[in-house]
């Protein structure tokens, strides 16, 4: 019986001992010249249940909070609150060295570090809060601070953090100066390049909107620009530039995201002309835009953890939807879809990598945010390329419509509308020649309308070649044509009439060589003979009929009348 009691006491003591040991386990790190350590074990963190109203003013206060805290049993992914950690560090470098500590969390409202040296009485205090990091190295996406240690110095590094949300596993990096500055250069350079590129592309799209007033260009500008502004906020760039103290601007990226997707929905609808070709898809993307806008206005009223979750749900819906639309439109031989699909595939794969890098599948993967930003930058390039392709197609459609509206489909010369535009552009020194074919009815009746069309085409080509650079030929209807000539190319009106007559005879001879019964009647009028273009055209028309009647009058009748 006594043996059982003793055994029970020993077992109880062992449980208490090992429990106490596990709760106060030391995480000791030896710092050498080549140190580049990533501490991913979440057991170094303890959750502070009683959150103070302000930052701990002393190491003793933090120690008291640490002792009253509870160990965490799960990852800090997608959690919020206040946490503390204690790390044992030993500087084994041969000389005094500066180490850099990086807390891998996108959002840190309050961050405080204490260095408790075992060799020296002084205690170093480092404030790496989002609003108090003016004396810490500028590093996008994370918070970092410098920790100078003397030769063979050892001690405890105490960490205190508070945030509405931790988007990453709260790992801690400890690196030497060379390694840190290398990572800082890569991180900041890639971030600034990506943000600057996105904002530049958005500006280009906005300039296109100012010039064209097309809503699709405005939607494209908002799509790209809001993504750029969102990452500028989430990376901490806005806070570093403007040092805004009232709010933590790194949270704004999540709040902006629904508005970016609303713009992306409208851009997709307009890019592929769903408003006129696919009414169901138009309703789908309009509905998604409305939902995203409503969510965007509601998010600031919710806790950030909920806003974070909602925005990522929107991303999980949008990216597959955009990829499916890209595949569908590419299958329909829509040339714009190749850029759209490529961009969204890059973005989707980067988001998948980002998710896996914070899971057990790809543990230890670094620079997840940078990969997402580079992929998004590529996506924005592709989006602008798809917009450029859309604008090019619209330009071609407009040119085709413009051509069809102003070019006669049979003879391929200008029509009556083109003549009106040409008359509107000339000054008061022009000559109009009104032309009407002779013998068209005879050609159509005896050898067919195909030959009549051939006569019209041949005559138009012959007259165009005869005029050369002196003017233009227009078909105003049926077998009626108009020459619009520049009077400045002739010395005077009598010489102009002679030159035009010679050209007419040349054209008529060419036509009669193929169609003997054909001919040309014409009338010439100068701009100064009338008060406006309509009168000048009417005068040339009247003279053309005089010429035609003169050719149809029998010689005997002329003698009798004479």
């Amino acid at each position: 019986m006594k043996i059982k009691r003793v055994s029970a006491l020993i077992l109880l003591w062992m449980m208490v001992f090992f429990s106490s040991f596990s709760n106060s386990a030391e995480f000791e790190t030896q710092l050498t010249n080549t140190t580049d350590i990533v501490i991913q074990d979440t057991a170094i963190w303890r959750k502070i249940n009683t959150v103070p109203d302000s930052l701990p003013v002393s190491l003793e206060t933090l120690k008291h909070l640490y002792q009253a805290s509870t160990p965490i049993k799960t990852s800090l992914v997608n959690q919020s609150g206040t946490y503390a950690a204690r790390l044992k560090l030993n500087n084994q470098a041969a000389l005094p060295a500066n180490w850099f500590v990086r807390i891998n969390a996108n959002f840190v409202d309050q961050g405080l570090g204490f260095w408790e040296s075992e060799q020296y009485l002084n205690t170093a205090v480092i404030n790496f809060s989002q609003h108090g990091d003016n004396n810490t190295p500028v590093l996008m996406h994370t918070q970092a601070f410098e920790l100078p240690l003397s030769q063979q110095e050892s001690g405890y590094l105490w960490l205190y953090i508070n945030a509405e949300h931790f988007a990453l596993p709260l790992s801690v990096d400890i690196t030497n100066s060379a390694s840190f500055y290398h990572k800082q250069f890569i991180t900041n350079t890639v971030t600034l390049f990506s943000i600057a590129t996105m904002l530049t592309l958005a500006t280009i799209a906005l300039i296109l909107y100012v010039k064209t007033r097309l809503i699709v260009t405005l939607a494209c500008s908002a799509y790209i620009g809001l993504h750029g502004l969102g990452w500028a906020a989430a990376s901490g760039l806005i806070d570093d530039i403007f040092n805004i103290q009232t709010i933590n601007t790194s949270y704004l990226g999540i709040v902006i995201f629904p508005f970016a997707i609303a713009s992306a929905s409208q851009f997709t609808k307009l890019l592929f002309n769903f408003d006129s070709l696919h009414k169901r898809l138009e309703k789908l993307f309009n509905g998604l835009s409305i939902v995203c806008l409503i969510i965007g206005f509601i998010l600031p009223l919710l806790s950030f953890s909920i806003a974070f979750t909602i925005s990522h749900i929107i991303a999980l819906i949008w990216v597959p939807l955009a990829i499916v639309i890209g595949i569908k439109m590419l299958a329909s031989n829509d040339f714009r879809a190749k850029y759209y699909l490529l961009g969204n595939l890059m973005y989707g794969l980067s988001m998948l990598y980002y998710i896996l890098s914070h899971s057990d599948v790809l543990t230890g993967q670094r620079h997840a945010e940078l990969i997402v930003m580079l992929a998004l930058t590529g996506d924005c390039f592709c989006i602008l390329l798809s917009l450029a392709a859309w604008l090019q197609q619209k330009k071609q459609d407009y040119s085709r419509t413009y051509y069809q509206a102003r070019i006669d489909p049979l003879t391929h010369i200008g029509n009556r509308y083109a003549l009106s535009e040409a008359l509107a552009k000339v000054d008061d020194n022009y000559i109009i020649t009104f032309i009407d074919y002779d013998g068209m009815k005879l050609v159509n009746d005896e050898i067919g309308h195909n030959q009549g069309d051939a006569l019209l085409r041949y005559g138009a080509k012959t007259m165009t070649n005869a005029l050369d650079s002196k003017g233009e030929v227009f078909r105003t209807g049926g077998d009626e044509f108009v020459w619009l000539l520049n009077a400045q190319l002739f010395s005077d009106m009598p010489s102009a009439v002679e030159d035009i007559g010679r050209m007419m005879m040349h054209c008529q001879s060419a036509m009669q060589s193929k169609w003997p019964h054909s001919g040309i009647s014409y009338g010439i009028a100068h701009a100064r003979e009338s008060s406006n273009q309509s009168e000048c055209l009417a005068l040339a028309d009247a003279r053309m009929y005089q010429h035609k009647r003169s050719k149809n009058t029998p010689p005997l009748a002329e003698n009798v009348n004479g």
Side-chain angles (χ1 to χ4, degrees):
M1 190 68 171
K2 290 182 178 180
I3 295 175
K4 291 183 177 180
R5 289 181 179 178
V6 172
S7 300
L9 289 172
I10 292 174
L11 181 60
L12 179 62
W13 177 83
M14 291 178 64
M15 291 175 62
V16 172
F17 174 80
F18 285 110
S19 176
S20 175
F21 179 79
S22 63
N23 288 342
S24 60
E26 296 288 349
F27 291 85
E28 186 171 350
T29 300
Q30 305 295 327
L31 303 178
T32 63
N33 291 330
T34 59
T35 295
D36 193 353
I37 298 174
V38 180
I39 303 174
Q40 292 184 311
D41 193 345
T42 57
I44 66 173
W45 296 98
R46 297 168 66 98
K47 185 173 180 58
I48 298 176
N49 299 314
T50 305
V51 182
D53 296 332
S54 59
L55 282 171
V57 295
S58 64
L59 177 58
E60 287 70 22
T61 304
L62 179 57
K63 286 183 177 180
H64 176 74
L65 292 172
Y66 185 83
Q67 292 172 358
S69 62
T70 57
I72 61 173
K73 298 180 181 180
T74 59
S75 170
L76 287 175
V77 178
N78 300 336
Q79 293 193 18
S80 60
T82 305
Y83 296 85
R86 182 179 67 170
L87 302 173
K88 179 69 179 295
L89 304 180
N90 292 312
N91 182 24
Q92 299 296 317
L95 297 171
N98 290 343
W99 306 99
F100 286 87
V101 180
R102 181 170 62 169
I103 313 298
N104 289 312
N106 290 70
F107 315 107
V108 176
D109 294 323
Q110 296 177 331
L112 197 63
F114 290 91
W115 171 246
E116 184 183 17
S117 176
E118 292 182 334
Q119 289 81 20
Y120 305 97
L121 297 178
N122 61 307
T123 300
V125 183
I126 309 103
N127 188 340
F128 58 91
S129 304
Q130 195 75 36
H131 299 312
D133 57 356
N134 294 330
N135 296 321
T136 60
V138 176
L139 184 63
M140 303 289 98
H141 306 288
T142 57
Q143 298 294 99
F145 59 88
E146 187 176 6
L147 181 63
L149 297 180
S150 301
Q151 180 183 0
Q152 301 299 319
E153 183 179 357
S154 62
Y156 291 94
L157 176 63
W158 297 81
L159 299 173
Y160 171 93
I161 60 170
N162 185 342
E164 291 185 35
H165 193 82
F166 296 114
L168 299 176
L170 207 54
S171 60
V172 179
D173 292 10
I174 302 176
T175 59
N176 56 42
S177 299
S179 179
F180 174 80
Y181 288 129
H182 176 71
K183 291 179 180 179
Q184 181 191 42
F185 174 78
I186 293 177
T187 301
N188 290 354
T189 300
V190 171
T191 301
L192 291 174
F193 167 78
S194 299
I195 294 172
T197 301
M198 284 187 274
L199 294 180
T200 301
L201 295 176
T203 303
I204 293 173
L206 185 60
I207 292 173
L208 289 175
Y209 171 72
V210 173
K211 291 186 175 182
T212 64
R213 296 298 177 181
L214 295 171
I215 300 299
V216 66
T217 58
L218 183 61
C220 180
S221 177
Y223 178 8
I224 300 174
L226 289 174
H227 273 97
L229 290 175
W231 274 106
S235 66
L237 178 62
I238 293 178
D239 178 71
D240 290 329
I241 294 176
F242 300 103
N243 193 24
I244 301 173
Q245 298 293 322
T246 55
I247 60 173
N248 187 343
T249 54
S250 61
Y251 292 130
L252 294 179
I254 293 297
V255 179
I256 291 174
F257 185 74
F259 294 103
I261 298 303
S263 302
S265 299
Q266 288 301 300
F267 173 74
T268 302
K269 180 194 74 174
L270 297 170
L271 176 69
F272 296 116
N273 301 320
F274 290 158
D275 50 343
S276 59
L277 300 178
H278 300 279
K279 291 299 182 180
R280 289 185 178 179
L281 290 177
E282 179 192 18
K283 291 180 180 178
L284 172 63
F285 283 98
N286 282 340
L288 183 58
S289 296
I290 294 172
V291 170
C292 287
L293 287 175
I294 294 173
I295 291 175
F297 286 111
I298 293 177
L299 285 191
L301 306 178
L302 305 176
S303 68
F304 184 75
S305 293
I306 296 176
F308 183 90
T309 302
I310 292 175
S311 287
H312 280 73
I313 291 175
I314 293 174
L316 291 175
I317 295 173
W318 168 253
V319 174
L321 175 62
I323 292 174
V324 169
I325 290 297
I327 294 174
K328 174 181 174 62
M329 300 313 297
L330 191 61
S332 302
N333 296 322
D334 193 317
F335 65 96
R336 292 159 293 196
K338 58 184 179 181
Y339 303 117
Y340 183 88
L341 177 59
L342 176 61
N344 282 285
L345 277 175
M346 288 192 297
Y347 187 36
L349 290 174
S350 70
M351 291 295 293
L352 179 62
Y353 173 82
Y354 180 86
I355 294 172
L356 294 178
S357 67
H358 299 99
S359 66
D360 296 333
V361 179
L362 293 176
T363 54
Q365 301 300 315
R366 317 303 298 163
H367 306 303
E369 293 88 352
L370 300 186
I371 291 175
V372 173
M373 291 191 68
L374 286 174
L376 182 59
T377 303
D379 180 30
C380 291
F381 263 116
C382 291
I383 290 301
L384 197 63
L385 285 175
S386 64
L387 174 64
W390 185 89
L391 292 172
Q392 181 65 25
Q393 180 62 42
K394 287 296 181 183
K395 180 180 178 181
Q396 292 176 357
D397 292 343
Y398 175 79
S399 298
R400 187 182 302 109
T401 303
Y402 184 91
Y403 179 86
Q404 292 174 349
R406 292 160 177 79
I407 302 300
D408 176 59
L410 177 64
T411 59
H412 302 293
I413 61 175
N415 58 15
R416 184 182 297 274
Y417 191 83
L419 173 62
S420 299
E421 286 189 341
L423 287 171
K425 296 177 182 178
V426 298
D427 53 19
D428 293 334
N429 199 11
Y430 60 87
I431 298 173
I432 290 178
T433 303
F434 203 103
I435 300 166
D436 188 84
Y437 282 7
D438 298 332
M440 274 299 301
K441 187 176 186 307
L442 188 61
V443 171
N444 287 329
D445 291 344
E446 292 191 357
I447 57 179
H449 287 277
N450 289 337
Q451 284 297 309
D453 291 343
L455 172 60
L456 291 172
R457 288 193 295 267
Y458 182 78
K461 182 179 179 180
T462 302
M463 289 187 290
T464 301
N465 293 335
L467 269 180
D468 194 17
S469 60
K470 295 183 177 65
E472 295 181 81
V473 182
F474 302 90
R475 183 188 180 197
T476 57
D479 57 355
E480 295 178 349
F481 294 83
V482 170
W483 287 8
L484 179 62
L485 302 98
N486 184 359
Q488 295 177 349
L489 299 178
F490 304 93
S491 58
D492 51 35
M493 190 59 185
S495 63
V497 172
E498 291 181 5
D499 289 344
I500 293 173
R502 283 193 293 269
M503 287 187 285
M504 287 295 175
M505 292 303 299
H506 168 74
C507 293
Q508 179 171 270
S509 298
M511 293 165 59
Q512 288 178 343
S513 65
K514 293 179 175 292
W515 294 272
H517 299 298
S518 65
I520 293 177
S521 297
Y522 65 93
I524 305 172
H526 192 280
R528 294 176 183 174
E529 295 182 278
S530 56
S531 58
N532 55 55
Q533 296 169 347
S534 296
E535 289 184 4
C536 185
L537 192 62
L539 179 59
D541 185 23
R543 288 174 177 173
M544 181 274 296
Y545 277 109
Q546 290 178 359
H547 183 217
K548 184 180 287 288
R549 285 195 296 269
S550 68
K551 291 193 296 181
N552 293 333
T553 303
L556 182 59
E558 288 182 358
N559 294 334
V560 172
N561 292 336

